[in-house]
Amino acid sequence: MGNGIDDRAVDAQRTERLDWRFKAIPATAHGMTAEEYLGGRPPLDEFGTPLLTLDASALDHNVRLMADWTERAGVRLAPHGKTTMAPALWRRQLDAGAWGVTLANLPQLRVARAFGVRRLLLANALVDPAGLAWIGGQLDTDPDFTFISWVDSVRTAELMDEALRAARVQRAVHVCVELGGPHGRTGARDEETALAVAEAVRKAPSLRLAGLGGYEGALAHDATDEGRAAVDAYLRRLADLHGRLPYETDEPIVTAGGSSYFDQVAEVLSGLDGCEVVLRSGAYIVHDDGFYRQISPFARGADGERFRSAMHGWGRVVSRPEPALALLDTGKRDLPFDEGMPEPQLVCGAGPKAVSGARVTAMNDQHTFLEGGEVAVGDIVRLGLSHPCTAIDKWTLIPVVDDADAERPVVVDLIRTWF
């Protein structure tokens, strides 16, 4: 566990028997373990459709690129694990130097602890008494476990303290005051409220003020000058508030930074004295061919390496009911659609070739409407996708291919998710 996760627990996933529970897996693999099946280097064309895949080289590239960038920027990274909920991918990020793992709710915390993750940041408030008693038990029984959650109101601090003392938790729970913004998500809306929350934490015997947190991505959704200016203004409020908080630890953190504006976070916050700046970017490991392709800091820059999309959808043409319309056997239950429709990229019939003049116009639960393009019933269409968070959560086991651009990709790994 030198990397902050239980390697044995992660490796044990490869001994799980494959069967009907995993919709990606062909019936020919049922009864085998994942390790046994992968030993035969199965080609992707053994798998049915609908299908979601990850690309091994793109995953490796993205992990390395982000690790190198954060090191140069002088910031830490606690990637948001809720994007993938895949301990095998968390391990890649931790092996590359990640400071810890960020999560969003109690069920996700339980998954992380089941796999022995040692440093967890909950980018949310935890006021559930049963959940607080459980996390307190984790702290009391594991001296190597570090946990930090958020508070954004005096009432939150009071409820946490009441529940922790009622559960007789021995170790204090470390918390960050959360600063929000107008029309954003959670977080104290002004500095005076944030200071009052900090004072409430100081008075709570079961809590320790360990840092300051926030999320700039709730205040902008594009890379326009106006959106970036709103992010900068918010980050400067965070920087100012940092200097006013009475931290109760020698190593406080200031944490912000999703996958859209982490360059601005580093620029504004990395020079702060007396703290570690921790980014929480999560989508970067998978990236996409939609929203993040457009807004990622590396996509906005003129030079240098960029993230590569590591995910693709695959759907088979099952109907050509009209001359310009094809229906694929994949839909909203299989692929994301909340940040843009899938993008037709390749058609695999006699051999892979680029799709020209085709676009996805709509999706139903189990069908995708493809207009234009030269496709025939039986052809498989590879789709570029937008938003990894709502792609991966639809699959419990995801094939990883050696090269999604190859004429006949080979499956080299199977990634287990726990949503």
Side-chain angles (χ1 to χ4, degrees):
M1 285 184 58
N3 55 0
I5 195 168
D6 186 343
D7 287 321
R8 289 177 298 180
V10 176
D11 290 339
Q13 295 175 109
R14 293 174 68 90
T15 66
E16 188 171 15
R17 295 285 173 184
L18 305 176
D19 57 28
W20 53 267
R21 292 172 298 160
F22 307 114
K23 67 179 182 178
I25 300 303
T28 53
H30 290 181
M32 298 183 187
T33 65
E35 191 164 26
E36 289 168 346
Y37 183 56
L38 293 170
R41 291 184 58 80
L44 186 64
D45 54 27
E46 283 189 4
F47 290 66
T49 51
L51 189 61
L52 177 79
T53 63
L54 297 174
D55 189 290
S57 61
L59 291 172
D60 291 342
H61 168 84
N62 295 343
V63 169
R64 177 193 57 78
L65 183 57
M66 191 62 168
D68 290 348
W69 186 89
T70 53
E71 184 175 5
R72 291 194 304 271
V75 295
R76 301 282 192 176
L77 176 64
H80 213 322
K82 60 93 176 175
T83 299
T84 65
M85 288 306 296
L89 296 182
W90 298 348
R91 179 166 65 179
R92 292 192 192 197
Q93 295 167 300
L94 291 165
D95 283 346
W99 177 86
V101 173
T102 300
L103 293 168
N105 60 30
L106 183 63
Q108 293 170 9
L109 291 175
R110 288 179 174 146
V111 172
R113 288 303 290 159
F115 287 89
V117 180
R118 280 204 308 234
R119 182 182 281 131
L120 292 173
L121 176 60
L122 179 67
N124 210 341
L126 181 58
V127 294
D128 169 18
L132 285 164
W134 175 79
I135 203 70
Q138 294 290 302
L139 289 165
D140 286 348
T141 57
D142 185 353
D144 294 325
F145 175 42
T146 298
F147 173 74
I148 304 173
S149 80
W150 288 5
V151 291
D152 70 351
S153 72
V154 171
R155 180 60 173 157
T156 302
E158 292 172 345
L159 287 172
M160 291 184 72
D161 184 52
E162 290 172 9
L164 291 166
R165 287 191 289 115
R168 302 181 183 276
V169 174
Q170 299 302 303
R171 284 179 65 187
V173 171
H174 287 201
V175 296
C176 289
V177 171
E178 181 192 1
L179 182 68
H183 312 296
R185 287 199 309 221
T186 54
R189 290 304 196 251
D190 58 77
E191 284 74 0
E192 295 311 309
T193 300
L195 291 170
V197 174
E199 179 62 17
V201 171
R202 190 186 66 80
K203 292 179 178 178
S206 66
L207 302 178
R208 294 290 182 275
L209 184 59
L212 170 64
Y215 178 52
E216 76 292 339
L219 306 179
H221 201 67
D222 55 46
T224 62
D225 290 344
E226 182 181 6
R228 288 168 58 79
V231 168
D232 266 347
Y234 169 72
L235 293 171
R236 296 190 189 286
R237 289 179 60 209
L238 271 180
D240 178 70
L241 182 58
H242 161 65
R244 304 172 64 187
L245 289 178
Y247 298 119
E248 299 176 276
T249 175
D250 294 333
E251 298 179 342
I253 66 169
V254 176
T255 175
S259 293
S260 299
Y261 307 102
F262 58 79
D263 57 335
Q264 293 176 251
V265 174
E267 182 179 352
V268 175
L269 301 182
S270 62
L272 295 180
D273 293 330
C275 71
E276 289 274 11
V277 175
V278 179
L279 303 182
R280 303 190 309 277
S281 313
Y284 78 90
I285 186 174
V286 174
H287 197 52
D288 69 11
D289 282 311
F291 176 73
Y292 287 109
R293 178 179 61 187
Q294 299 172 8
I295 201 171
S296 164
F298 297 155
R300 289 189 265 110
D303 302 311
E305 290 185 278
R306 301 187 177 197
F307 292 131
R308 290 158 43 190
S309 178
M311 65 175 180
H312 297 95
W314 307 77
R316 194 180 308 267
V317 179
V318 293
S319 178
R320 286 297 309 260
E322 300 171 15
L325 175 64
L327 279 299
L328 310 182
D329 64 351
T330 181
K332 293 179 179 180
R333 298 293 180 91
D334 311 300
L335 302 178
F337 57 93
D338 59 312
E339 291 286 1
M341 290 295 173
E343 175 185 281
Q345 295 179 332
L346 295 175
V347 57
C348 307
K353 62 181 180 180
V355 179
S356 60
R359 66 188 183 99
V360 171
T361 59
M363 296 178 78
N364 295 156
D365 281 358
Q366 313 295 170
H367 291 95
T368 290
F369 291 69
L370 184 70
E371 289 192 358
E374 296 182 6
V375 297
V377 172
D379 285 348
I380 295 175
V381 178
R382 192 186 83 184
L383 301 163
L385 307 175
S386 181
H387 201 196
C389 298
T390 51
I392 297 172
D393 66 353
K394 296 171 174 57
W395 297 84
T396 54
L397 198 64
I398 304 174
V400 180
V401 297
D402 58 347
D403 181 0
D405 292 327
E407 183 170 349
R408 198 182 189 201
V410 172
V411 175
V412 295
D413 202 357
L414 296 169
I415 297 294
R416 185 76 155 91
T417 68
W418 301 88
F419 285 95

